[in-house]
Amino acid sequence: MDTLTASLSILKNTSILVYILKGTAFTLIISAVAVLVSILLGSVLALVRNYCVTPQTRIFKWLATIYIEVFRNTPLLLWIFICLVFCPCPAIFARKMLGLTSVETKLLFKAAVALILFTSSIVAEIIRGGLNSVAVGQFEAGHAQGFSTVQIMIYIILPQAYKNVIPTLLSQVITTIKDSSYLANVATIELMSRVKKVLSAANMYNGTGNINVSDVFVLFGCAALIYFVINFTLSCIVRSIQKRNAKTGRVAADSVIDNVNMEC
């Protein structure tokens, strides 16, 4: 019981709490950047894989397919280590930023690239499912109104596709936040990495002079609680959107039925 009390005293240290909360902020920033870039890259990959079917453009479809299948069916941790070794780092990221050393900034950039490469392949398939859910007649209607293919994609197809996959995309955001914990393996500054650093020096903060088993449970339990709060909040948002979409669908169906009955 004494060791547990000593371990809990670590979290009473204001500097430790601030250090962990900054790691939480970096986790959210990295995840948000990864998701936003992945949506852009995934949209391009999904469009190429779905619609580059002519003999002149089929090579791009094959390249997009290879990219998606390779990254989607291999572990994220593998790509983190590959990017750590082979990914070049632009000069702008090779200097001190965000209160980090130049080495930490380089590691953060390379790890973020790996997360983007991996996540974009999954997002591409999500968006491709949204594209496939849009009726083919939408293209014909667009052409009948004089829209070009690009205009049809931008103003008609993509908005509907994104709307259809919002819950799935938000679920992927949850997964990405959890996957960001893999970055702790390359000493970046997200939440899990900072918790590991605090644990490695727990003997300096718990007052016992030793790193105890209870330190592991307390610190990693704190990290688990933070992840749970963030992801449970997002899960509630996903469920709320799904219920709203279902309700909207039922209202639309009832409206169609009423119109049919009136015509009859």
Side-chain angles (χ1 to χ4, degrees), residues 136-150:
V136 179
Q138 297 287 327
F139 287 94
E140 298 171 356
H143 285 301
Q145 294 296 321
F147 287 101
S148 66
T149 301
V150 174

Side-chain angles (χ1 to χ4, degrees), residues 166-236:
I166 284 176
T168 312
L169 280 177
L170 285 176
S171 296
Q172 182 56 39
V173 172
I174 294 172
T175 302
T176 302
I177 291 173
K178 292 186 291 185
D179 285 348
S180 68
S181 62
Y182 286 111
L183 305 186
N185 291 282
V186 292
T188 53
I189 41 71
E190 48 72 58
L191 172 59
M192 193 58 69
S193 176
R194 293 201 169 204
V195 168
K196 288 173 65 178
K197 287 180 181 179
V198 173
L199 179 62
S200 66
N203 59 316
M204 298 173 58
Y205 304 105
N206 60 20
T208 65
N210 298 307
I211 298 177
N212 306 307
V213 174
S214 57
D215 297 334
V216 178
F217 285 102
V218 168
L219 291 172
F220 281 101
C222 177
L225 179 62
I226 292 172
Y227 279 116
F228 174 80
V229 170
I230 294 171
N231 292 325
F232 181 72
T233 302
L234 290 173
S235 296
C236 291

Side-chain angles (χ1 to χ4, degrees), residues 31-43 112 116-117 119-120 123:
S31 301
V33 170
V35 169
L36 290 174
V37 176
S38 295
I39 288 174
L40 293 174
L41 181 56
S43 297
I116 289 169
L117 292 174
T119 305
S120 63
V123 171

Side-chain angles (χ1 to χ4, degrees), residues 5 14 17 29 34 40 60 66 82 85 99 139 143 147 155 171 182 218 239 242:
T5 303
T14 304
L17 281 177
I29 292 170
L40 293 174
F60 299 109
I66 291 171
I82 289 176
V85 176
F139 287 94
H143 285 301
F147 287 101
Y155 297 115
S171 296
Y182 286 111
V218 168
R239 285 194 289 269
Q242 287 175 329

Side-chain angles (χ1 to χ4, degrees), residues 149-167:
T149 301
V150 174
Q151 289 174 323
I152 291 172
M153 285 295 176
I154 295 175
Y155 297 115
I156 300 176
I157 304 301
L158 284 175
Q160 294 182 68
Y162 287 137
K163 182 180 179 181
N164 292 340
V165 300
I166 284 176

